[in-house]
Amino acid sequence: MLGKHFVATRQRLFDSYADVRLLAQQAQVAPDHQTQADDTLETLKRPFLITVCGEINAGKSSLINALQGRYLCRVNDLPETDVPTLHSYGEARREVMHGGKWRECQWPDESLKHVHWLDLPGIDAVGKTAYAQWQPWLQASEVVMVVFSHRNPWGAVTWDFLAKWPEEMRDSLVFVVQACDEAVAADLPVLSEHLRDLSQKRLGRVPPVFLVSARDGLQVTKRSVFASNPVPTGLAQLHQWLDARVNGCEERQRAMESLRRAALALLYKTDEILDGMSRSVLRDVRFLEDLEREIEQLFQHTVRQQVQSLGAIGEEYFQQSQSMARLLRKRLGLLRSIARLMLGENTALQLEVLLQERLTEAVKAAADRDAGALVDDCAAHWRTVQERMGDLDGAPSAPWSAIEPRLQEARRQLVERMGLAAGSSVGQLRVRGILSSALRQRNTGLSMWLSCSLVMLLAAGLTGGFFIPWAPSIFCGLAGFFGICLALFGMRTARDMVEDYRERLLRSGESFFSALRGDYEEGLRLFFREYAQGLQGIRESLSRRENSLQPYTQRWNELFLKIKAIEQEMGF
């Protein structure tokens, strides 16, 4: 196939340009940038036109058949070409007459998609008007092969026809002397030299001259065999010259260069768009990082403020410690203590349960108060976030109505967490165990003195029953003495136990706060984690945008390298 290298390179450039346009469309490049090379595309898509002209029976049709490697033109001793005949590609073999002025023969031959052959009638048959009739065809032809018969290459009709050509059209000329197999071999160099001299005199230039034998060359049925065909038909040299002419056509090369430049320009314009999109994503990522940093700073500020919150709980803890001490003093009254000796001792457990309940409620109230203030702070901060959302490119922001329920749930969880932590912290103070031990020791003493008093009273009763006059008085006195000792013991131990209980509770306050501090900070962290979830839509949008840009950027790099490879191959 003629121009195989050009056709292959052109197709690669077509494919690359189509891919660049597709990438530009996906990147939303303005349409006017995508259509700037449409005229160049049409120029490159236009098939090469090789025109063959000459006098009647010069062997024009045979030459076309030989170069094409198949019978396109009818060959006969009588003239067969009566009107200009264009051989082109078609899915099926057919002939179409156009206004009775020229004929188009379509062939299912892939090579004819790229190179068309125009077979003109004999110049001597048309006469002096040949040039005027054929001028549009001749001007559109990349190559015009003028076929001479070896018997008479100096016919006046042909040279008069060529003399009418303007200078700028003569670059497309090539002379072919046909049927050289019928000539004497020794005469061929003389014939060629004479043809060159005549061309110099008549045209002022010497086009390429080829001596061929189309009849022998037609025996080579595959065009790809020309280069290795040992038969000296001259067609191989002509075929190579035509192939080089098609591959090196200056107009097509300029069009190829123009299309390459257009592809690169569109690719660079696409890169500007992609770069802008990348910068936009990077700007939005930084904006998101700023928001996350603000939330972290708000969290740290809230953690630092926990000293104030725990201070309020500390005041409540001090008051409850005093209240528990007063309650213990009441429960350590003598009569109540004696009653519990009979009913059982559970003061330490009751006091701890009551302390847990009161501190739990106090801690939960403080936590709920703090969490409510945090919800308000987050609402104010989110309003500023939404005001700044206009700087983002299409990133959705969740409305406050969608965030608030999550924060209210986080608030409830924080309150519950702190309530459980408060109850657990009271249990870890170990005050109940010490109080229980002290109560047992006190109850033992009370039981001893009470028993002594009761025994003396019993003895007084018995001696009185036996009418021993002096004994009851003595035993009653002893019972009174033991009773006074019981009262004094109860008062002293009660005072000491209350003071010790109060001091232990107050000293345990720091341990109580330390146990709460870790849970409080972790609860706040979970609270702000829920708040940060309001940015999830922005995160997902930025992730999608980043992921969508990666294939475009990768495709851009591939196309750039592909076009640069074509540039090096064509020597641009």
Side-chain angles (χ1 to χ4, degrees), residues 538-548:
I538 303 176
R539 295 189 190 96
E540 293 175 353
S541 175
L542 289 177
S543 178
R544 288 193 298 269
R545 288 167 60 192
E546 284 181 316
N547 293 335
S548 65

Coordinates of all heavy atoms in Angstrom, one line a residue, residues 538-548:
I538 N -18.3 16.5 53.4 CA -17.2 17.2 52.8 C -16.0 16.2 52.5 O -15.4 16.3 51.4 CB -16.7 18.4 53.6 CG1 -17.9 19.3 53.9 CG2 -15.6 19.1 53.0 CD1 -17.6 20.5 54.8
R539 N -15.7 15.4 53.5 CA -14.6 14.4 53.3 C -14.9 13.5 52.1 O -14.0 13.3 51.3 CB -14.4 13.6 54.6 CG -14.0 14.4 55.8 CD -13.6 13.4 56.9 NE -13.4 14.1 58.2 CZ -14.3 14.3 59.1 NH1 -15.5 13.8 58.9 NH2 -14.0 14.9 60.2
E540 N -16.1 13.0 52.1 CA -16.4 12.0 51.0 C -16.4 12.7 49.7 O -16.0 12.2 48.7 CB -17.8 11.4 51.3 CG -17.9 10.5 52.5 CD -19.3 10.1 52.8 OE1 -20.2 10.5 52.1 OE2 -19.4 9.2 53.7
S541 N -16.9 14.0 49.6 CA -16.9 14.7 48.3 C -15.5 15.0 47.9 O -15.2 14.8 46.7 CB -17.6 16.1 48.5 OG -17.5 16.9 47.4
L542 N -14.6 15.4 48.8 CA -13.2 15.6 48.4 C -12.5 14.3 48.0 O -11.7 14.3 47.1 CB -12.4 16.2 49.6 CG -12.8 17.7 49.9 CD1 -12.1 18.2 51.2 CD2 -12.5 18.6 48.8
S543 N -12.9 13.2 48.7 CA -12.3 11.9 48.3 C -12.7 11.5 46.9 O -11.9 11.1 46.1 CB -12.7 10.9 49.3 OG -12.2 9.6 48.9
R544 N -14.0 11.7 46.6 CA -14.4 11.4 45.2 C -13.8 12.3 44.2 O -13.4 11.8 43.1 CB -16.0 11.6 45.2 CG -16.8 10.5 45.9 CD -18.2 10.6 45.5 NE -18.8 11.8 45.9 CZ -19.4 12.0 47.0 NH1 -19.5 11.1 47.9 NH2 -20.0 13.2 47.3
R545 N -13.6 13.6 44.5 CA -13.0 14.5 43.6 C -11.5 14.1 43.3 O -11.0 14.2 42.2 CB -13.1 15.9 44.0 CG -14.5 16.5 43.9 CD -14.7 17.7 44.7 NE -13.8 18.8 44.2 CZ -13.6 19.9 44.9 NH1 -14.2 20.1 46.0 NH2 -12.8 20.8 44.4
E546 N -10.8 13.8 44.4 CA -9.4 13.4 44.3 C -9.3 12.1 43.5 O -8.4 12.0 42.6 CB -8.8 13.1 45.7 CG -8.5 14.4 46.4 CD -7.9 14.2 47.8 OE1 -8.4 13.3 48.5 OE2 -6.9 14.8 48.1
N547 N -10.2 11.1 43.7 CA -10.1 9.9 43.0 C -10.5 10.1 41.5 O -10.0 9.4 40.7 CB -11.1 8.8 43.7 CG -10.6 8.4 45.0 OD1 -9.4 8.5 45.3 ND2 -11.5 8.0 45.9
S548 N -11.4 11.0 41.3 CA -11.8 11.2 39.9 C -10.7 11.9 39.1 O -10.7 11.7 37.9 CB -13.1 12.1 39.8 OG -12.9 13.4 40.3

